[in-house]
Every structure is written in C-alpha cells, then in structure tokens.
Amino acid sequence: MTAKLLVKRAGSTVVAGLLIVAMAVAANAGADIEAAPDITGPAKRPNIVLLLADDLGYSDLGAYGSEIQTPNLDRLAASGLRFSNFHVAASCAPTRAMLMTGLNSHSVGVANIPEAIPEDQAHAPAYQGVMHTHVPTIAEQLQAAGYRTVMTGKWHLGMDPERRPSARGFDRTFMLADTGADNWRHRSYLPIYETANWFEDGEPITLPDDFYSSEHLVDKAIEYIGNDGEEPFFAYVAFQAVHIPVQAPANFRDKYLQTYVGGWHALRAARSEGLVDAGILPDRLQGRPMPTTSDWQSLTPDQQAFEAKGMAVYAGMVDAMDHHIGRLINHVDLMGELDNTVFIFLSDNGAEGSLATRNIGGEARAPTGPFRAWMYTEGFNTDIETLGERDSYHDIGPAWASAAVGPLAWYKFFAGEGGLRVPLIISGASNGQNIAATTGGVSPVLGWATDIAPTILELAGIETLDSLPGKTLVPLISGETTELRAVKEGIGYELGGNKAFFRGSYKLVYNRYGSDNRWQLFNLAADPAEKTDLSAAEPQRFNAMLKAYNAWAEAQGVLPVADDYHQGRTVMLKGILNRPGLLATVALLLLLPVLILIALVVWLFRRRKVN
C-alpha cells in the first residue's frame, strides 16, 4: 500500500506554476533536478510534522533503549515504525540541506558547515556552506501544492535574505541562523558570533526574557499552525536540544542526579543492552574502546560528581524536548487532526564529543583558558550547583558522547557509525488510517538522509523525480516491500576529510584520527560496532567499493583536506579573525596576570632602590 492509496487520491491534476518555474530554473542551473514533477490532489492530504533533534545520540530515546524518559516519542514509536540503520551526515548543515532538498549535500553547496570550510576549499561550488538558491526545497514544493508551511528552530543553511527559510518556501518562520546559541538568553554560544542571529518571518528579532529553546520553539510552532485544519500543513521544528551549550530546567535535570554516578563505561554497557531489549539491535555488542574516552576511575571524586551532574543536564534536556513535543502532539489532537497527521522524528547527527570548558584526560586538546576567558566575559559559568540552568555553560565531552551512541564507534564529525547512524521514527495516520502496516516495528533497512524528502513528498501526494538520489520510505512503512535499494547501489559520503561508502551491508570508511587514518571495510550486518576490518580478508570487495567511492567523490566535486586540517580549530580561527576586537580583548585578559606581575616586580625594584 503506497501513500497514493493512503490519501485516497482524487482523479484531478493540480498544476503548480510556482513549482514548475522553480524546477525549470534548477534545471537550467545544472542542479540534480531535471524537470517539474506532476502534482496530484488527494481528497484529504495529511499534515506532516518534521521534528529534528540536534546532536542526539543513537541510544538517547526510551524507544531506543535509553534510561532517559521520552514518553511522547516512545508513543509515536509504538504506533509507528523505528529505523535501526538510518544514516545522516556527521554534522548539522549538510544533513539539513539533504532533508530540505532530497539532494546530496555537496550538490547543493553544503559539503560542510560554512564556519569549518578552509580557505583552500571555499572557492568550490560544493563548499559554499550555504544552500544554493536555485535548488527547490520541499517547503517550496509543498507550498506550491497548497500546504501551509511553517518552520521554527535552527536553520543554518544561510543567513542572507534570499537564503532564509522565509524565502525558501515557508509561510511563517522563527529561526536561528547559526550553528547554535544559548538556550536561555539571546546570546551567542561561541566567540565566533557577536550575537545569536534570530529571525522571525525574515526579520531580526530579540528573544523574550522567559525564553527556553525547546519550549519557545514549540510555542511558535503551535502559534503558526493555529487551529484551522482546512488546509494541510507542513511543520518543521528544529530543536537546539541537545547541542552545546547543554542546558535544561532544574526540574528536568534533577530526575537524573543519581543516574550517571557509575560513569560513562557503565552507561555505554547499559545502552548496548538497552538497544537489544528495545529490538533495535539483534545482539548485545561490546563497543570498541574509544581513544578519546578517559578511565572513569582516574577522575577524582569531585570530577566524577561534576561529570555525573553534567550528564544529568544532558538527560534533562532530552526529557524537556520530549515534553514539549508532547505539547505539540496534544495541540494537533485538539485541532481534530491527529488522525490525519504524520510525524517524522530524527537527529541531524550523532552525539557531540567536543570539549571546550575543561580537560578531563584522553584526547590531547587545546588549552581551555582562552575559551573560558570568553565565557566569563559573556556572563557564563560552570558552577556545579546550577549546572545547566540560566547562565550555565556545559558540554558533555567525548566519553559521554561515546556512551550516548551505545556500542557504535565514534560520534559527531566522524564517519563511524556513532557519527552517522541516528534514531528515526515515522508515525501517524492519513485519513484516519495508520500509515504503518505493523505498529511498533523496527526496520533494519539501510537508509540515508536524502530519503526523507521523497518520503514527505509522497505522503503529500506529490510525484517525485527519479533523478532524486533518495528513496521514499513509504513502501517500507506500509509493508509493501522490505527492500529499499538494489544490492549494487551505493551511498557516498564525505565531510571534513572523513568519508564513507555504503553498499548493501558493507561500509567502507575513513576517519582522520590515529590508527583509523586509513580506509577500512566493515560488514555492518554482522559488525555494526565496526571492530573487525575486512579490507585484507576481502580485497576484491574493498577495491571495488573504493573505486565506487572515488567515482562518486569526483562526480560530487569532493575536495581533499590538508593533512593538518582540524575542524574545531578551523571554526575558532576563522571566527576569531572575523572579530579582531574580541581577539584583542581576550589577549589582554590572558596577558593581564603577566602585566600585573611585571608591574609588581617593577614597583618592588623601585621601592628597594629608594630604600
């Protein structure tokens, strides 16, 4: 059963002039799309809600075996379909570009976030860091087909007026243009931004005093959706949870104050078991040791207490997001539209392992002094008593990030499964009929970020073109098929020099770190933890997949990175150089103790000379 049957398609055809123009422009500009799709008008098209978490780990939801309380998402999972083998890019903007267009991120100009693109790549079309304006978005296509379209949350696909979501097919928007921001105040979270760049309907705005990100983004989504169910709506809600800074209201945080005192090794083991208990993975896996994870027992008691409370903040932030998702679901129910609304929930990448506020061993890192100096000038603190609350700044670091993805290898930015494999839940109904043939099920089929756009368009009754690289997931959801891609069909990926190629159950992967700094081959069906490299045992497959990756990379305009390229350092360096005043201020703060010491020595010398 396909979406065409679910929406009880009418016999008439609706011509969407705006969409045809947009498609024609895209074709003339050399985009992946060749012509305008046919749009048919169903009797009653379903509302579609796309919920995107930020930096959420593979095992962070109750429906994926977590101890974190996510009852609303769990209910969606119980009435819909979960995906255990769905992949996205390992960083936010490339994934968001694929979700919005259905095209590979390089082909729409977002090979990486703009803040992390080095100067030797910035000339290339694939490395603009902002989404090409000639490529149609799903919002533009839905809007042209009669949908009301709303967007709230993090956009990060361009801040210029013509690239804001208000100019890319959304009727109402409340958006953050940056990689992230403070969840409590109108304030930047990194020194590379002078302020947090928030916009409503394309115009700069100032956040209210009572702002908390997850709550306010849902408030705005409810406001924009309204109470009128006459026209179908598409709502895209892109949460800041659980991006740095990790912040949560105390009542959500305090549920978990004793949950993580056993440390990250214990949590990773528990999450591995939880994934099996939830039916996500078939067998309990022992994840490979991560070189960036410190020994929990090497920490002092005070350090352990701080880290445990920090992870409680993270859990509270996930819990709060779920709570507000529940409010949105309840609003749709009060509208009388719950039996004609489809919810899609996923994360933009794996858990975030960056650490800027402190050093806790493991990976060698840059000194934290300059960043902490900036934090204090901005009014942030890291006090354990109020950790996660207003004015607090926290990042969980690589050890907790590894635990958040269970037994998977690596996390955000890396091409390991922990960076690319994310939870995906699709649930809901169309015209009173559940879209899932088997509720509460789990699909192990390999999926990719470009599959979401054709899925949304088919649910809306909009014909998509074969030139889109993604595959609609509707036949999987409806039980029409258990397969998505042909055996020989591959998926290529690259971001910041980390790269991968998927074909069937096999994955070719290259991570720019330590002993992983080479191509490796894994059978994900038997080894999702990526522990046994098969490159020597299966040289024919290895060479064939490497050849296929190279062909894909050439077609997509992939550029190599320098041997010394480091994404985090590039972000900070580019940002600081764009703010010379801040650079001088931080330098002065760092030099101030030295200047005071010199002044004291000079004063003592003169005093002794006088005496």
Side-chain angles (χ1 to χ4, degrees):
M1 182 182 355
T2 66
K4 299 182 182 73
L5 296 176
L6 288 171
V7 298
K8 300 178 182 177
R9 198 183 286 253
S12 61
T13 299
V14 179
V15 178
L18 290 176
L19 180 60
I20 292 173
V21 172
M23 291 296 188
V25 173
N28 293 335
D32 292 347
I33 296 175
E34 299 167 356
D38 292 330
I39 304 175
T40 61
K44 188 176 183 182
R45 293 167 294 177
N47 309 304
I48 301 168
V49 179
L50 176 60
L51 303 166
L52 186 66
D54 201 331
D55 298 353
L56 187 79
Y58 182 63
S59 67
D60 275 337
L61 303 180
Y64 280 73
S66 176
E67 73 292 337
I68 301 175
Q69 297 173 28
T70 54
N72 296 295
L73 288 169
D74 295 350
R75 278 193 288 271
L76 290 181
S79 61
L81 184 65
R82 291 167 293 167
F83 291 77
S84 62
N85 196 17
F86 193 81
H87 296 75
V88 296
S91 183
C92 48
T95 292
R96 292 160 198 266
M98 290 189 281
L99 295 178
M100 288 294 100
T101 65
L103 302 173
N104 290 315
S105 57
H106 288 73
S107 70
V108 297
V110 193
N112 204 337
I113 61 174
E115 295 86 351
I117 295 175
E119 292 304 316
D120 60 353
Q121 292 182 336
H123 67 281
Y127 292 83
Q128 296 307 294
V130 293
M131 193 164 63
H132 294 328
T133 56
H134 62 258
V135 177
T137 67
I138 56 171
E140 289 168 331
Q141 297 175 62
L142 290 164
Q143 188 183 59
Y147 271 75
R148 290 186 296 121
T149 54
V150 305
M151 184 269 170
T152 67
K154 176 176 161 181
W155 177 245
H156 201 210
L157 293 173
M159 191 169 66
D160 297 336
E162 68 274 14
R163 289 188 169 89
R164 295 171 192 167
S166 53
R168 300 309 319 269
F170 289 98
D171 299 318
R172 298 297 312 274
T173 62
F174 184 91
M175 76 94 169
L176 173 67
D178 311 323
T179 56
D182 189 353
N183 293 281
W184 291 106
R185 298 184 187 273
H186 194 132
R187 176 168 50 184
S188 169
Y189 83 111
L190 286 178
I192 65 174
Y193 306 113
E194 185 173 356
T195 186
N197 293 289
W198 285 96
F199 297 82
E200 185 165 24
D201 297 331
E203 298 298 325
I205 51 111
T206 300
L207 298 179
D209 292 338
D210 62 350
F211 177 82
Y212 178 69
S213 63
S214 292
E215 180 179 19
H216 197 77
L217 297 180
V218 168
D219 284 346
K220 281 295 179 181
I222 290 173
E223 175 190 334
Y224 295 164
I225 291 169
N227 298 306
D228 182 7
E230 286 298 313
E231 293 178 326
F233 65 81
F234 169 61
Y236 172 35
V237 184
F239 292 94
Q240 289 175 243
V242 272
H243 193 283
I244 296 172
V246 178
Q247 299 164 319
N251 59 313
F252 287 99
R253 175 201 65 199
D254 289 352
K255 298 180 186 180
Y256 304 96
L257 291 181
Q258 298 304 313
T259 304
Y260 304 106
V261 294
W264 39 66
H265 302 301
L267 179 62
R268 193 180 189 198
R271 291 291 188 86
S272 299
E273 292 180 0
L275 286 163
V276 177
D277 293 341
I280 301 299
L281 295 180
D283 300 301
R284 186 185 184 281
L285 302 172
Q286 180 74 36
R288 54 184 279 205
M290 286 290 101
T292 54
T293 295
S294 303
D295 182 359
W296 179 256
Q297 298 305 324
S298 70
L299 274 61
T300 67
D302 285 346
Q303 287 176 319
Q304 289 181 348
F306 183 87
E307 296 300 326
K309 188 165 186 178
M311 192 60 186
V313 177
Y314 179 94
M317 197 174 186
V318 176
D319 192 326
M321 176 186 67
D322 178 85
H323 169 78
H324 294 295
I325 288 172
R327 293 174 49 234
L328 179 57
I329 296 171
N330 185 58
H331 175 74
V332 174
D333 191 15
L334 291 174
M335 291 174 64
E337 289 292 315
L338 197 58
D339 64 350
N340 195 42
T341 301
V342 176
F343 296 88
I344 301 172
F345 174 90
L346 73 161
S347 179
D348 65 344
N349 45 248
E352 167 70 272
S354 298
L355 191 63
T357 62
R358 63 201 182 282
N359 284 318
I360 52 175
E363 181 184 6
R365 300 181 188 90
T368 62
F371 187 81
R372 291 177 67 87
W374 170 82
M375 279 175 46
Y376 295 139
T377 63
E378 291 295 308
F380 286 114
N381 68 75
T382 57
D383 299 343
I384 189 172
E385 294 81 9
T386 56
L387 201 61
E389 299 176 31
R390 186 180 293 264
D391 294 329
S392 173
Y393 195 112
H394 189 64
D395 41 6
I396 62 170
W400 289 121
S402 289
V405 301
L408 305 183
W410 296 109
Y411 36 80
K412 182 179 178 180
F413 298 130
F414 291 96
E417 288 295 282
L420 304 183
R421 191 183 292 212
V422 297
L424 169 65
I425 299 169
I426 301 181
S427 179
S430 178
N431 288 288
Q433 184 176 355
N434 196 317
I435 64 168
T438 303
T439 59
V442 177
S443 172
V445 174
L446 173 67
W448 186 244
T450 53
D451 298 338
I452 297 298
T455 300
I456 290 174
L457 295 176
E458 182 168 358
L459 287 167
I462 300 175
E463 294 287 350
T464 57
L465 295 171
D466 292 337
S467 56
L468 285 181
K471 309 289 184 181
T472 173
L473 301 173
V474 170
L476 283 175
I477 301 166
S478 65
E480 185 178 319
T481 183
T482 57
E483 301 295 332
L484 194 62
R485 289 177 165 81
V487 176
K488 293 294 184 180
E489 192 171 354
I491 299 172
Y493 167 77
E494 186 273 341
L495 194 152
N498 296 321
K499 43 202 173 185
F501 191 82
F502 299 84
R503 177 178 282 167
S505 63
Y506 285 84
K507 176 186 178 184
L508 189 69
V509 62
Y510 189 113
N511 283 301
R512 298 178 64 253
Y513 191 97
S515 62
D516 278 9
N517 196 18
R518 59 188 173 86
W519 283 108
Q520 299 180 78
L521 178 67
F522 299 102
N523 182 347
L524 295 182
D527 181 25
E530 297 175 298
K531 296 176 68 175
T532 304
D533 179 14
L534 301 174
S535 56
E538 299 192 42
Q540 186 173 358
R541 186 187 303 275
F542 175 85
N543 290 326
M545 290 182 67
L546 182 56
K547 181 179 179 181
Y549 169 81
N550 288 332
W552 173 87
E554 182 177 1
Q556 293 294 317
V558 174
L559 297 178
V561 297
D563 290 342
D564 61 350
Y565 172 78
H566 185 282
Q567 178 136 332
R569 286 198 294 268
T570 301
V571 169
M572 296 304 293
L573 181 61
K574 286 183 68 175
I576 294 298
L577 290 178
N578 288 331
R579 297 191 63 196
L582 175 66
L583 183 63
T585 300
V586 172
L588 181 61
L589 286 172
L590 292 174
L591 289 173
L592 190 59
V594 177
L595 295 176
I596 292 174
L597 180 61
I598 292 173
L600 180 61
V601 170
V602 171
W603 178 78
L604 289 173
F605 177 77
R606 288 179 175 176
R607 184 177 180 183
R608 181 176 297 178
K609 190 173 182 180
V610 169
N611 292 337

